[in-house]
Amino acid sequence: MKYQTELKDDILFVRLEGDLIASPDTQRMIDDIDGGKPLVSLLCAIDLSNVRFMDSSGMGVLVSLLTKFRNRGGELVLIKPSDHIRKLLIVTKLNAIFTIAENDNFAAQFLKESIY
C-alpha cells in the first residue's frame, strides 16, 4: 500500500493506494498519523478511492484511527471509497460509524462543521 499525507486548511488528508491490509506500510502510516505524539490536526480525511482491497485488519486500522481522532476531540471522514470498499463498509455496518464524503470539498465542509 502506498499513501501520501497533506495538511490543508488544518485538515490532514491521507490518500491511500493499493490494498489496505496488515503490512509494514500500514503500520508506518499509523505511526506517521499518530505515533503516540500529538496529532498534526484534529481533523482527518482518508481518501479510499484508489484502494482495491481491504481485509479485516484494514477495517481495524480505519476504526482505530477514527477512535484516536474522536478521543482527542476531532473527527475523521472517508472520501469516495471504491464500490468494493463501500460494500464492505455496508456489510460490516461500519457505514453507520463513518461519515463518507464524495470528494475533498464535502469532506472539508463536514469536518469544519463538526468542530464548531
Side-chain angles (χ1 to χ4, degrees), residues 91-103:
V91 167
T92 58
K93 301 197 186 303
L94 289 176
N95 63 321
I97 64 167
F98 284 102
T99 298
I100 298 174
E102 290 306 313
N103 59 45

Side-chain angles (χ1 to χ4, degrees), residues 2-57:
K2 296 178 186 177
Y3 69 94
Q4 295 177 334
T5 60
E6 171 190 14
L7 188 61
K8 183 175 163 186
D9 296 328
D10 291 329
I11 299 172
L12 178 64
F13 285 88
V14 181
R15 306 204 188 277
L16 306 181
E17 184 178 337
D19 298 336
L20 184 52
I21 58 175
S23 73
D25 291 333
T26 306
Q27 188 57 50
R28 191 169 27 258
M29 178 191 68
I30 293 169
D31 291 343
D32 283 352
I33 293 172
D34 180 34
K37 54 190 182 273
L39 293 171
V40 172
S41 172
L42 291 177
L43 305 175
C44 182
I46 299 180
D47 184 345
L48 298 174
S49 61
N50 291 313
V51 174
R52 296 180 305 232
F53 177 80
M54 180 171 64
D55 65 5
S56 60
S57 59

Side-chain angles (χ1 to χ4, degrees), residues 53-55 59 83-95:
F53 177 80
M54 180 171 64
D55 65 5
M59 288 183 254
D83 288 340
H84 174 71
I85 303 304
R86 193 178 295 264
K87 287 175 187 173
L88 277 176
L89 293 170
I90 292 169
V91 167
T92 58
K93 301 197 186 303
L94 289 176
N95 63 321

